[in-house]
Amino acid sequence: MVAPPEVTFAQLLFSGIAFMLLAAGSLVVFLITYQKRLLHQQLRLRLAEAEHQQQLLTAIIEAQEGERERIGRDLHDGIGSTISTAKLLLNRLESLPAHAEDAQGLLKLIREIMSGAVQDVRSISHSLYPAVLARFGLAEALQHLVDVANETGKLPILLEVDYARPLALAQELALYRICQELVHNALKHAHGATRLVVSLLQQGPLLTLTVEDNGCGFEAANAAGSAPPTRGAGLRSIDVRVQMLQGHLRQHSVLGQGTRMVVELDTTMA
């Protein structure tokens, strides 16, 4: 028996409505599931970002404490010892006749010691905040850093600069601190080195700071971005500043052939 057309149409209508309701329900379930996954992913990203910020904060605090410890050690071992020596000489000078030959010699020695103390104070003051950077910019500040380091006679340092488009003072200060720490590390750890080369080169938007020595090197993976076996407060401080600049730190070292540290910065992002 053939169903009337009205019955067939009603069946088709109900089937279409049921299919649409089923599709709509499936779409709602999909949207709810997708939204939950999206919220979960955003939560994980926020947690990861918060953890990263906490790690940065910890590294910054460690770096600051390391710098304070170094300054305190310089004050105690350098200026403190110098002033103590000058005080002992003054006490000895008071016990001598005014026109004694030894008195004149002691007075000359005290003047030399105090001149050294003044120089130490200037050096520590410059390490706290390089005034030449604020006045003349990064290139002149690096030249002053190299000149002061060369005066110590520990290791000849060569400087190469091609820096035509200066950055903001905050970025320049961060780059200066990075270079200062890299030079300090090289002078301290590059045993057997005969030269140290510092270069600041600008090619288009790419700014590259390189500190390279031909010293002892270290045993570590030579791949770009690899880390030495131990990372002290100095390297953590460098890492933090590089991340703040949104740059990249690469290091390459071969045992007995030296170490090359490279900081690359996209100036359009700085």
Side-chain angles (χ1 to χ4, degrees):
M1 182 177 179
V2 179
E6 294 82 356
V7 174
T8 303
F9 176 76
Q11 292 176 344
L12 291 175
L13 180 62
F14 287 137
S15 298
I17 293 174
F19 176 77
M20 291 177 63
L21 290 174
L22 180 61
S26 300
L27 180 61
V28 170
V29 171
F30 171 77
L31 290 176
I32 293 175
T33 303
Y34 176 76
Q35 187 176 20
K36 287 183 177 180
R37 290 180 180 178
L38 184 62
L39 290 175
H40 183 64
Q41 185 177 8
Q42 290 177 347
L43 179 60
R44 285 190 302 174
L45 289 175
R46 289 176 182 174
L47 290 175
E49 183 178 357
E51 183 180 358
H52 178 67
Q53 292 296 328
Q54 182 62 36
Q55 292 175 350
L56 279 180
L57 179 61
T58 301
I60 290 173
I61 293 174
E62 289 179 353
Q64 289 176 342
E65 291 301 320
E67 291 176 355
R68 288 170 181 166
E69 180 183 356
R70 182 190 303 174
I71 293 169
R73 189 167 56 249
D74 290 341
L75 289 172
H76 179 272
D77 298 340
I79 298 175
S81 298
T82 301
I83 294 177
S84 296
T85 302
K87 182 180 179 181
L88 292 174
L89 292 175
L90 281 173
N91 291 336
R92 183 181 174 188
L93 182 63
E94 289 178 351
S95 64
L96 295 175
H99 300 289
E101 293 183 3
D102 291 345
Q104 296 300 320
L106 282 176
L107 184 59
K108 180 180 179 182
L109 182 57
I110 291 171
R111 287 174 178 170
E112 292 177 354
I113 290 175
M114 295 310 296
S115 295
V118 171
Q119 185 63 35
D120 289 341
V121 170
R122 289 176 178 173
S123 177
I124 294 175
S125 174
H126 180 76
S127 68
L128 287 173
Y129 187 79
V132 66
L133 175 66
R135 293 180 62 186
F136 303 109
L138 181 59
E140 289 296 327
L142 291 182
Q143 184 65 62
H144 184 266
L145 174 66
V146 169
D147 291 341
V148 171
N150 278 330
E151 288 181 2
T152 65
K154 292 182 179 180
L155 182 64
I157 304 178
L158 303 176
L159 176 65
E160 181 183 2
V161 175
D162 183 2
Y163 181 60
R165 294 178 298 280
L167 300 177
L169 179 59
Q171 281 82 29
E172 289 197 337
L173 180 59
L175 280 171
Y176 176 84
R177 293 301 188 197
I178 291 170
C179 185
Q180 186 180 39
E181 190 63 45
L182 289 176
V183 170
H184 173 77
N185 287 346
L187 293 176
K188 184 177 180 181
H189 299 294
H191 303 296
T194 60
R195 62 173 175 82
L196 179 63
V197 179
V198 178
S199 65
L200 181 70
L201 304 178
Q202 201 169 38
Q203 295 179 335
L206 181 64
L207 181 63
T208 304
L209 172 67
T210 305
V211 178
E212 183 176 8
D213 66 76
N214 62 344
C216 59
F218 53 79
E219 290 188 35
N222 291 329
S226 61
T230 58
R231 299 180 71 80
L235 282 177
R236 290 196 296 272
S237 172
I238 292 172
D239 285 336
V240 169
R241 290 188 168 101
V242 170
Q243 291 182 50
M244 291 172 61
L245 290 171
Q246 299 182 355
H248 300 281
L249 172 65
R250 294 187 294 107
Q251 50 191 11
H252 178 84
S253 184
V254 177
L255 191 63
Q257 298 184 24
T259 302
R260 187 169 187 261
M261 307 290 288
V262 180
V263 176
E264 293 181 338
L265 174 64
D266 185 352
T267 56
T268 61
M269 301 291 292

